[in-house]
Amino acid sequence: MQRKALRVEAGPGLAPGLDRRFVAAFRIGRGEGCELRLRSPMCSREHARVELRGDTWWVTDLDTANGLLVDDREVREAPLREGSLIQVGRGGPMLKVSLVSEDELTEEEGGPRKDLTPPVQARPSVPPRPAPPGQEAAPSMTRIMDRYFGSTKEPAGDHTMMVRQAYKKVRGRERRWFFQALGAVAVLLVVALGVTVWQRGRLRQLQGFATEIFLTLRRMEVRTSELRRAVERTGGSDLDSLLAQVDADRNRLAQQYEGYIGQLGTYRKLGSEEERLIYQVVRTFGESEFAVDAGFVREIQDTIRQYWAGRGRERFRVAIRRAERGGYTEEIAATLKATGLPVDFFFLALQESDFIPDRAGPLTRWGRAKGMWQFIPKTANLYGLETGVNPDGDLADPLDQRLSWPAATTAAARYLRDLHGMLTQSSGLLVMASYNWGEHRVIQRLDSLTNSRDAFAAAFKDVPQDPVDRNYWKFLKRYGDRIPAETKDYVLKIVSAAVVGRNPRLFGFDFDDPLAKFRP
């Protein structure tokens, strides 16, 4: 039986003139040892092997990077038929094969034709044709990566081995750089962690110092309140000088506290101007920024939005205008400041009476409250105000000094000072609660917040002298469910009005802080 010879001709992408016949196995590649040499960048040194198996010619890919295609299908090996197209890598040169018998060979050939033409020159590569429908192109990039950069130890040509060696060197250098960079990052992380730990410790230390100074300020305010009462009783000039010295010491401590607040960046961390004003007002009323309850801040914001910037907007505007026109603002602020009280207690009179001097409240079991500061008869008498012939009547009585706003303001300042100093230990928020709910009911609950075994024999007697135990947040936490809703709302209204008063234009009003010139 005659063997079949294989005729190889130039296909698309090759210069014409190639016509070779083979009766035995041969190799295709660009290396000198290949029987069929192709000079193309897509062709490996030894790209493919063609051999006769039985009566069928087969072509085999010699583990190349660019792959081998037969009839536009990438293969590892495939049989060759009449007219098959062998492509050396997708986009590379093509060879057309046909089958001939040995009888068709010329006498000169006498077997495989010895074609001594130079190696075939490839035309410029043409774009690869798309794969047939339903058949995806093989991942030649993966094949390239596996051949040149994979972990295989199979033998390869000089070019491939050179690429592998170069890749190993580059990879080794990159690994060294990576571990050096990783070590530098680790050092930086350790340093950063150490700095963070130190900073946190420093912040805790500063916060501790600031809190202690704040409590000292509150204790000094209590002592100042006692001194002022003594000055009133004795009228001694020596006490006046002592009082001035205490005030000077308190101012120095206040400046030191401001310095700690600045270092801690307390106000810089707040999200809005409104929050900054809230913290300032709460601090003015004797509560530390570090102890402010977040829930209380939200309630203040809600009260501003829903009331003073909402349905109570006109009330606020009219009351402030009334105080300015009547000369009440300056007199009230000056009296509060002279008594050693925060001038923001001005807004307590707004909540009580809207600055109406002759306002009369409803009749209660304690009598009828009257005047700008809404004194009940008993408290008015205690602070030197005459209540006239019919204290609980609903008609204006010219002999009732509660209706004289200057006298009532002086009495209210002294009353607030006593609540602020002796009863509530400089907690302005507890002062407000006491003013509304009654100091006797508040006192009973304040006493149980301390470890003192002494009971209160009177309104301003036997109160433990420690501001730590006179804290509005503790009071709310322990007795929040027993405090009348009216009293809670009363405190919120005054504090939120003071916040709005610090910057009325921020909340949509057309005037400035009425107390600006009286603030430190």
Side-chain angles (χ1 to χ4, degrees):
M1 179 171 123
Q2 288 186 331
R3 292 189 302 168
K4 293 182 180 180
L6 188 69
R7 181 180 183 182
V8 182
E9 299 176 276
L14 285 180
L18 173 65
D19 188 358
R20 301 281 296 277
R21 291 169 176 78
F22 298 92
V23 294
F26 63 93
R27 291 167 297 173
I28 302 172
R30 56 184 173 83
E32 294 182 356
C34 295
E35 288 77 14
L36 181 57
R37 295 177 62 194
L38 298 176
R39 290 180 178 175
S40 169
M42 298 297 293
C43 186
S44 298
R45 289 181 179 275
E46 292 188 2
H47 201 102
R49 175 181 175 83
V50 182
E51 60 185 342
L52 186 65
R53 300 178 187 173
D55 61 350
T56 303
W57 286 91
W58 286 75
V59 62
T60 303
D61 180 12
L62 298 179
D63 194 24
T64 60
N66 295 321
L68 181 72
L69 291 88
V70 174
D71 296 329
D72 206 28
R73 182 171 62 89
E74 190 161 353
V75 298
R76 300 295 293 177
E77 65 175 14
L80 299 176
R81 299 183 297 273
E82 180 70 28
S84 289
L85 291 176
I86 301 174
Q87 186 174 19
V88 181
R90 187 172 291 278
M94 289 188 181
L95 302 172
K96 181 181 179 181
V97 300
S98 57
L99 304 176
V100 296
S101 66
E102 286 186 296
D103 291 341
E104 298 179 64
L105 299 176
T106 64
E107 292 182 1
E108 290 82 2
E109 289 171 332
R113 181 178 176 181
K114 302 298 183 180
D115 194 339
L116 301 178
T117 57
V120 181
Q121 297 289 340
R123 290 178 179 174
S125 297
V126 297
R129 286 178 289 179
Q135 179 178 356
E136 296 183 359
S140 58
M141 182 59 70
T142 302
R143 184 189 303 274
I144 293 173
M145 293 173 63
D146 289 342
R147 178 174 179 80
Y148 287 110
F149 310 125
S151 57
T152 179
K153 295 183 179 179
E154 295 181 3
D158 296 340
H159 176 74
T160 301
M161 293 302 296
M162 181 177 65
V163 172
R164 289 178 181 176
Q165 291 296 327
Y167 173 70
K168 287 181 180 180
K169 290 183 179 179
V170 171
R171 191 177 182 186
R173 188 180 300 117
E174 288 180 345
R175 282 181 177 174
R176 289 193 296 274
W177 289 344
F178 171 76
F179 285 113
Q180 289 172 359
L182 187 62
V185 170
V187 171
L188 290 175
L189 286 176
V190 171
V191 173
L193 180 61
V195 171
T196 301
V197 171
W198 178 84
Q199 287 181 335
R200 287 183 178 177
R202 177 63 175 166
L203 286 175
R204 284 194 297 268
Q205 186 181 40
L206 288 174
Q207 185 170 334
F209 289 157
T211 301
E212 183 58 35
I213 290 176
F214 186 84
L215 293 176
T216 302
L217 282 170
R218 285 185 60 177
R219 293 186 183 102
M220 292 184 71
E221 288 176 0
V222 173
R223 303 297 182 266
T224 302
S225 177
E226 294 173 353
L227 283 172
R228 291 185 189 279
R229 286 171 56 83
V231 168
E232 288 180 5
R233 290 196 303 268
T234 64
S237 59
D238 55 335
L239 291 179
D240 279 334
S241 62
L242 180 59
L243 183 60
Q245 181 180 348
V246 172
D247 281 338
D249 291 341
R250 185 180 62 179
N251 289 336
R252 280 195 295 271
L253 275 178
Q255 291 176 0
Q256 188 175 358
Y257 182 75
E258 287 284 354
Y260 282 123
I261 292 296
Q263 291 185 55
L264 291 168
T266 303
Y267 289 103
R268 292 195 298 272
K269 298 173 185 175
L270 300 180
S272 66
E273 174 67 10
E274 181 185 70
E275 286 183 320
R276 189 181 69 83
L277 293 175
I278 291 173
Y279 275 75
Q280 284 184 343
V281 168
V282 170
R283 174 178 155 197
T284 296
F285 282 128
E287 301 289 350
S288 172
E289 288 94 335
F290 307 117
V292 177
D293 185 83
F296 184 78
V297 172
R298 288 192 294 271
E299 289 187 67
I300 293 295
Q301 292 173 320
D302 290 342
T303 303
I304 291 173
R305 283 191 293 269
Q306 297 171 13
Y307 190 75
W308 295 120
R311 64 181 185 274
R313 171 181 293 276
E314 187 63 12
R315 177 192 173 192
F316 188 88
R317 187 189 67 80
V318 171
I320 296 299
R321 293 300 189 197
R322 180 183 294 118
E324 290 178 350
R325 288 194 302 269
Y328 310 147
T329 303
E330 291 197 5
E331 183 70 22
I332 292 172
T335 302
L336 291 170
K337 191 170 184 179
T339 315
L341 292 169
V343 294
D344 293 87
F345 275 117
F346 167 85
F347 294 98
L348 188 146
L350 183 152
Q351 179 62 20
E352 287 286 348
S353 67
D354 293 331
F355 301 112
I356 299 174
D358 58 353
R359 171 163 285 183
L363 185 63
T364 69
R365 60 174 176 164
W366 298 285
R368 189 184 298 274
K370 291 185 179 181
M372 186 179 290
W373 296 90
Q374 291 289 283
F375 275 109
I376 60 174
K378 181 179 178 181
T379 307
N381 295 149
L382 183 63
Y383 283 88
L385 297 177
E386 297 292 336
T387 53
V389 296
N390 187 11
D392 297 330
D394 56 357
L395 298 177
D397 184 350
L399 299 179
D400 192 338
Q401 292 183 319
R402 291 177 294 176
L403 306 182
S404 171
W405 70 268
T409 297
T410 300
R414 292 174 55 213
Y415 180 39
L416 290 171
R417 178 203 60 199
D418 292 343
L419 291 176
H420 191 261
M422 301 184 65
L423 169 61
T424 66
Q425 300 293 288
S426 297
S427 172
L429 305 185
L430 284 175
V431 169
M432 300 171 199
S434 299
Y435 200 96
N436 176 261
W437 194 13
E439 66 271 18
H440 293 282
R441 283 175 291 181
V442 175
I443 285 172
Q444 294 171 2
R445 288 157 177 78
L446 286 176
D447 190 41
S448 65
L449 291 177
T450 71
N451 295 321
S452 173
R453 298 179 181 179
D454 297 331
F456 285 90
F460 307 119
K461 188 177 181 181
D462 299 332
V463 180
Q465 302 296 302
D466 191 352
V468 175
D469 297 316
R470 291 297 183 263
N471 180 288
Y472 187 71
W473 323 119
K474 287 186 179 181
F475 191 81
L476 279 181
K477 185 176 181 180
R478 181 74 65 85
Y479 299 109
D481 58 338
R482 307 180 202 177
I483 301 174
E486 175 192 345
T487 298
K488 292 180 183 177
D489 183 68
Y490 181 85
V491 174
L492 286 171
K493 289 278 180 61
I494 296 173
V495 175
S496 58
V499 172
V500 174
R502 295 235 169 180
N503 188 356
R505 295 186 187 277
L506 179 65
F507 303 97
F509 293 96
D510 59 353
F511 51 88
D512 297 316
D513 180 3
L515 303 175
K517 65 180 179 181
F518 296 98
R519 301 190 190 282

